[in-house]
Amino acid sequence: MIPPQEASARRREIEDKLKQEEETLSFIRDSLEKSDQLTKNMVSILSSFESRLMKLENSIIPVHKQTENLQRLQENVEKTLSCLDHVISYYHVASDTEKIIKEGPPGRLEEYLGSIAKIQKAVEYFQDNSPDSPELNKVKLLFERGKESLESEFRSLMTRHSKVVSPVLILDLISGDDDLEAQEDVTLEHLPESVLQDVIRISRWLVEYGRNQDFMNVYYQIRSSQLDRSIKGLKEHFHKSSSSSGVPYSPAIPNKRKDTPTKKPVKRPGTIRKAQNLLKQYSQHGLDGKKGGSNLIPLEGHEHDFRVKHLSEALNDKHGPLAGRDDMLDVETDAYIHCVSAFVKLAQSEYQLLADIIPEHHQKKTFDSLIQDALDGLMLEGENIVSAARKAIVRHDFSTVLTVFPILRHLKQTKPEFDQVLQGTAASTKNKLPGLITSMETIGAKALEDFADNIKNDPDKEYNMPKDGTVHELTSNAILFLQQLLDFQETAGAMLASQETSSSATSYSSEFSKRLLSTYICKVLGNLQLNLLSKSKVYEDPALSAIFLHNNYNYILKSLEKSELIQLVAVTQKTAERSYREHIEQQIQTYQRSWLKVTDYIAEKNLPVFQPGVKLRDKERQIIKERFKGFNDGLEELCKIQKAWAIPDTEQRDRIRQAQKTIVKETYGSFLQKFGSVPFTKNPEKYIKYGVEQVGDMIDRLFDTSA
């Protein structure tokens, strides 16, 4: 049972809560009433606002539509006025631009092109909108006149500013690739930069708007002329330089050309001067193989004079292999070689210029036309060289062939650059250089074979034989010619290989060419040996014939040994050197037999036998007298004759003298010892004319005209 106090307290608590709840309920009821009132007021306001907006919209929309129509009308009026102004401007184009068109584009290209653009637009307008109007004809005529003026300006700019490249600059350009000391590259400026830009703009306009390609013909004709004249100018430069100073020069660095240029000798690729240089060395230093760097055997005294004479004749005789070789021929060769290099460099430069001016799809064709004159000139000159070589072969003049070698070598070395420059040109253009190379290889091979045959068939001319038995001019000429081939081994080998019909020759290697060249040299040497044997029979004296063959064989061997010829010969003939030594020894033995008619008189087998102390019979005394007389006469005769003979090689001469002296002195000494004190005559001085040492001294003076 709950106590009364707690029940009372609990009731009061409940009553307090009830009261609070009633108060809360009353507050909520008041709030709802207020909210309903506010809602009614807001609905009333919104309804009123909506009514007003509808009234406003009904009032504004008609005004907006009227304004929009007015704006549209205004825009149409403005556009109409603009169109009228634009159309009216076309009618004024002719009068506005006529003066500019009449005066032309010089000095005002930008303004001129702007006027042309206006005229072009007028033409397009009248063609579309009023094709029968007189204004169309007027602006058309003005446009054509403007186009002609641009064409004329293009021609004028190209003509006035296209200059021939100077020979000095071309030589610097050629030597630029090889000159490691050059501080900067040599470049060509065919047109001033400002002019180039004008030309490019005119070119592009003529292609794009003028629908004109005639200017490309103008371009290639002008540039073709300059290219051709530049190359011809270089050739003339060589001729003038050679006539004044002998050697053309070129400044080493282009930027030093303002005052006094620093000059340097131009490289002369492939020029053959060896024969002339050898002749000069002979006349100054002899042929001792030391001074002047000669690689031939030493010549002394009259033999030196004889050799210089023969070499001089070899250089000028129309039948010699070095006939007609002079400075002018060298200049022609050098000039042609440099002109070939110049063509490549100038053509490369021309293409770079052309690429900026001519549209891409017309560049190859225009370039092909541009280079034709210069290229044809080079090819024609090359064919003339081939033709001259062909005629020279008929005359047995092989000097012109020596001209073909450096030219052919240079053409083959330059061919890769040629091919690169001629990329994209017509097949006929590309085939010109290979055709010339083939012609030169063919004529070169023909000349080599004819030279070998000429060596074999050179006639035995008695008046042309050296009376002292020295080296024949045919031998010296043949060796000199073969030595020229050392400078052109690959070229000569390729010449020979080009004529081979075997399948292996179609793609011949350098080793194959080398073997062919070795075979050829051995053939020439073999023909020379056969001819020398034939010529040696001209001599009535077998001893002189032996000396002649000895000198020639020795000359050939020493020449081979002191040059690379011996290595070339050894490629196909390993025993050549030993064979020549054997031939030389055989001739020495043949020569020594000439002394038998002297020594046989005093040889032991031919002497009378007598008893010491027994008086000689008349027959025995007579025999001894005959032996002394025969020896004396034979000795004097041989020494007189053989003193006029020549053995140019000092070592060989001393060796032959010493060997002969030993034999004769021993035989004579023994004879003199046995019969010198025998009373075979009352006048011993009449028969015993020489002592042993005197005989040796006489033999020491053999082969010496100065003795």
Side-chain angles (χ1 to χ4, degrees):
M1 185 174 180
I2 301 173
Q5 292 179 346
E6 290 183 4
S8 178
R10 179 129 179 133
R11 187 173 52 193
R12 283 194 302 269
E13 182 179 353
I14 293 171
E15 289 175 352
D16 289 339
K17 286 184 179 180
L18 181 61
K19 186 178 181 179
Q20 289 177 354
E21 292 294 333
E22 288 176 351
E23 289 176 355
T24 301
L25 181 61
S26 177
F27 176 77
I28 292 172
R29 188 180 291 114
D30 292 340
S31 296
L32 286 172
E33 290 177 355
K34 289 180 181 180
S35 177
D36 288 342
Q37 187 62 38
L38 288 172
T39 300
K40 290 179 180 180
N41 290 340
M42 180 59 68
V43 170
S44 177
I45 290 170
L46 289 173
S47 298
S48 176
F49 184 70
E50 182 181 7
S51 175
R52 290 179 182 181
L53 280 177
M54 290 180 65
K55 290 180 180 180
L56 180 62
E57 183 179 356
N58 293 333
S59 300
I60 291 300
I61 286 176
V63 174
H64 174 71
K65 289 182 178 180
Q66 289 177 0
T67 303
E68 187 178 13
N69 290 334
L70 288 174
Q71 288 177 342
R72 188 179 296 111
L73 289 173
Q74 184 180 1
E75 289 176 0
N76 289 337
V77 170
E78 289 176 353
K79 288 181 179 180
T80 302
L81 290 174
S82 176
C83 289
L84 287 173
D85 290 340
H86 183 67
V87 170
I88 292 171
S89 69
Y90 288 130
Y91 287 86
H92 294 290
V93 165
S95 58
D96 292 343
T97 60
E98 186 173 8
K99 182 180 178 182
I100 297 175
I101 298 302
K102 184 177 181 181
E103 291 176 353
R108 56 197 300 180
L109 181 61
E110 190 70 29
E111 181 182 5
Y112 193 86
L113 289 176
S115 298
I116 288 287
K118 292 179 181 179
I119 296 171
Q120 187 177 8
K121 289 180 180 179
V123 171
E124 292 172 355
Y125 171 79
F126 288 121
Q127 283 178 336
D128 293 338
N129 299 281
S130 185
D132 298 328
S133 65
E135 285 78 9
L136 176 59
N137 294 330
K138 191 171 183 179
V139 290
K140 267 188 174 182
L141 182 63
L142 203 57
F143 181 80
E144 291 300 322
R145 186 187 302 173
K147 185 171 71 170
E148 291 174 0
S149 295
L150 283 174
E151 294 172 1
S152 177
E153 177 67 1
F154 183 88
R155 179 188 294 273
S156 176
L157 289 174
M158 291 300 304
T159 302
R160 285 188 288 114
H161 296 282
S162 291
K163 305 296 182 184
V164 174
V165 184
S166 70
V168 171
L169 188 56
I170 294 176
L171 291 174
D172 286 342
L173 188 67
I174 295 173
S175 61
D177 292 342
D178 302 322
D179 190 357
L180 299 178
E181 298 179 358
Q183 298 297 316
E184 58 185 55
D185 294 334
V186 181
T187 56
L188 296 179
E189 184 183 68
H190 294 291
L191 297 173
E193 184 61 27
S194 59
V195 174
L196 176 60
Q197 293 306 318
D198 286 349
V199 169
I200 292 173
R201 293 203 64 185
I202 295 174
S203 167
R204 290 177 179 173
W205 189 92
L206 289 173
V207 171
E208 186 174 357
Y209 302 109
R211 305 293 188 269
N212 182 294
Q213 296 183 5
D214 292 341
F215 77 95
M216 300 180 195
N217 296 332
V218 172
Y219 177 86
Y220 91 71
Q221 289 169 1
I222 294 173
R223 294 308 307 171
S224 175
S225 175
Q226 300 304 324
L227 175 62
D228 192 39
R229 289 169 59 192
S230 296
I231 294 176
K232 288 179 179 177
L234 177 63
K235 184 177 180 181
E236 292 175 2
H237 174 74
F238 269 83
H239 292 164
K240 291 178 181 178
S241 299
S242 64
S243 61
S244 59
S245 61
V247 181
Y249 289 94
S250 166
I253 302 176
N255 59 12
K256 293 184 178 181
R257 196 177 293 109
K258 293 181 180 178
D259 300 316
T260 304
T262 303
K263 295 185 176 181
K264 67 178 181 181
V266 172
K267 294 182 179 180
R268 312 185 69 175
T271 302
I272 301 178
R273 289 188 174 275
K274 187 173 290 184
Q276 290 91 329
N277 291 339
L278 288 173
L279 177 59
K280 184 176 180 181
Q281 292 166 10
Y282 300 159
S283 61
Q284 291 178 349
H285 307 297
L287 296 179
D288 55 6
K290 298 176 182 178
K291 294 182 179 180
S294 171
N295 58 0
L296 303 180
I297 60 176
L299 302 179
E300 297 178 359
H302 69 291
E303 168 58 15
H304 168 262
D305 297 334
F306 178 82
R307 176 57 51 233
V308 172
K309 173 178 177 293
H310 272 200
L311 286 172
S312 299
E313 292 173 350
L315 292 171
N316 298 294
D317 181 12
K318 67 179 181 179
H319 297 296
L322 303 176
R325 295 293 303 164
D326 53 20
D327 287 342
M328 184 53 65
L329 193 57
D330 280 337
V331 169
E332 291 290 345
T333 303
D334 290 346
Y336 185 73
I337 287 173
H338 280 81
C339 285
V340 170
S341 295
F343 173 81
V344 173
K345 294 297 182 183
L346 292 177
Q348 289 172 342
S349 181
E350 285 292 343
Y351 192 82
Q352 293 173 357
L353 177 66
L354 177 142
D356 291 332
I357 298 174
I358 304 299
E360 184 176 359
H361 54 286
H362 292 287
Q363 289 174 4
K364 295 296 184 182
K365 181 180 179 181
T366 304
F367 180 70
D368 197 342
S369 301
L370 189 155
I371 63 173
Q372 284 303 315
D373 286 349
L375 181 59
D376 286 344
L378 286 176
M379 295 302 105
L380 177 60
E381 192 169 348
E383 290 298 338
N384 288 340
I385 292 171
V386 172
S387 179
R390 188 176 292 110
K391 294 176 181 177
I393 292 173
V394 176
R395 302 192 307 268
H396 301 300
D397 169 12
F398 296 96
S399 60
T400 307
V401 180
L402 298 180
T403 303
V404 171
F405 279 80
I407 292 175
L408 177 58
R409 179 174 67 181
H410 187 69
L411 289 178
K412 296 179 77 171
Q413 290 173 345
T414 313
K415 187 177 181 298
E417 290 183 89
F418 247 98
D419 294 341
Q420 184 177 6
V421 169
L422 300 182
Q423 279 183 352
T425 57
S428 58
T429 302
K430 294 178 182 177
N431 292 334
K432 287 181 179 179
L433 180 64
L436 178 59
I437 289 176
T438 300
S439 295
M440 286 195 170
E441 284 188 331
T442 301
I443 199 64
K446 170 68 174 171
L448 290 175
E449 291 302 318
D450 279 27
F451 177 78
D453 292 340
N454 189 61
I455 292 296
K456 181 179 181 180
N457 301 319
D458 184 71
D460 301 325
K461 299 178 181 178
E462 186 174 352
Y463 67 86
N464 202 32
M465 295 293 290
K467 296 180 180 179
D468 55 1
T470 189
V471 179
H472 196 279
E473 65 175 317
L474 179 69
T475 303
S476 60
N477 288 341
I479 293 299
L480 283 174
F481 187 85
L482 293 179
Q483 285 174 337
Q484 304 305 313
L485 299 185
L486 290 177
D487 293 334
F488 307 97
Q489 294 184 38
E490 292 185 7
T491 304
M495 283 180 177
L496 296 170
S498 67
Q499 304 306 303
E500 291 293 314
T501 56
S502 62
S503 58
S504 60
T506 56
S507 57
Y508 51 85
S509 63
S510 58
E511 186 63 29
F512 177 73
S513 299
K514 190 173 184 179
R515 290 189 64 83
L516 283 179
L517 183 58
S518 174
T519 301
Y520 172 77
I521 292 174
C522 292
K523 178 181 178 181
V524 172
L525 293 175
N527 291 349
L528 177 61
Q529 185 174 341
L530 290 174
N531 200 315
L532 290 173
L533 284 170
S534 177
K535 289 183 184 302
S536 68
K537 297 176 182 178
V538 171
Y539 296 110
E540 296 180 358
D541 190 334
L544 180 55
S545 177
I547 291 295
F548 170 77
L549 290 175
H550 163 273
N551 285 333
N552 281 272
Y553 292 156
N554 188 60
Y555 178 91
I556 295 170
L557 178 60
K558 290 293 180 68
S559 299
L560 294 177
E561 289 177 335
K562 293 184 179 181
S563 69
E564 295 179 14
L565 283 173
I566 193 65
Q567 284 87 356
L568 268 178
V569 170
V571 171
T572 55
Q573 198 172 101
K574 306 290 186 183
T575 61
E577 186 174 358
R578 185 180 67 188
S579 177
Y580 273 110
R581 295 192 186 282
E582 291 175 353
H583 289 321
I584 291 170
E585 291 302 320
Q586 289 175 1
Q587 300 310 317
I588 291 176
Q589 293 174 11
T590 301
Y591 162 75
Q592 288 176 339
R593 285 196 290 271
S594 68
W595 281 85
L596 290 177
K597 63 181 181 181
V598 176
T599 56
D600 277 354
Y601 280 105
I602 57 175
E604 184 72 28
K605 62 181 180 179
N606 296 325
L607 295 179
V609 180
F610 61 91
Q611 296 297 326
V614 178
K615 184 178 180 180
L616 295 175
R617 291 176 293 178
D618 291 341
K619 183 178 180 181
E620 292 173 336
R621 287 197 298 271
Q622 185 61 33
I623 291 174
I624 295 173
K625 289 179 182 180
E626 289 176 356
R627 296 293 184 269
F628 269 109
K629 187 176 185 304
F631 173 78
N632 293 336
D633 291 345
L635 177 66
E636 292 169 356
E637 180 184 1
L638 283 186
C639 287
K640 180 180 178 181
I641 294 173
Q642 295 184 10
K643 183 176 69 172
W645 297 354
I647 299 180
D649 189 329
T650 304
E651 181 182 346
Q652 287 290 319
R653 182 168 65 238
D654 291 344
R655 175 192 169 200
I656 292 174
R657 283 174 176 171
Q658 186 61 41
Q660 200 59 54
K661 185 169 63 173
T662 299
I663 296 172
V664 176
K665 283 178 66 176
E666 288 180 356
T667 306
Y668 182 63
S670 177
F671 175 76
L672 195 59
Q673 183 179 7
K674 188 171 184 178
F675 295 100
S677 58
V678 174
F680 64 91
T681 179
K682 295 179 180 179
N683 300 310
E685 66 278 359
K686 179 180 178 182
Y687 297 98
I688 308 176
K689 297 172 63 174
Y690 305 106
V692 175
E693 293 304 321
Q694 282 181 289
V695 171
D697 291 341
M698 293 173 69
I699 295 175
D700 278 336
R701 290 193 291 273
L702 296 178
F703 318 115
D704 187 0
T705 57
S706 63

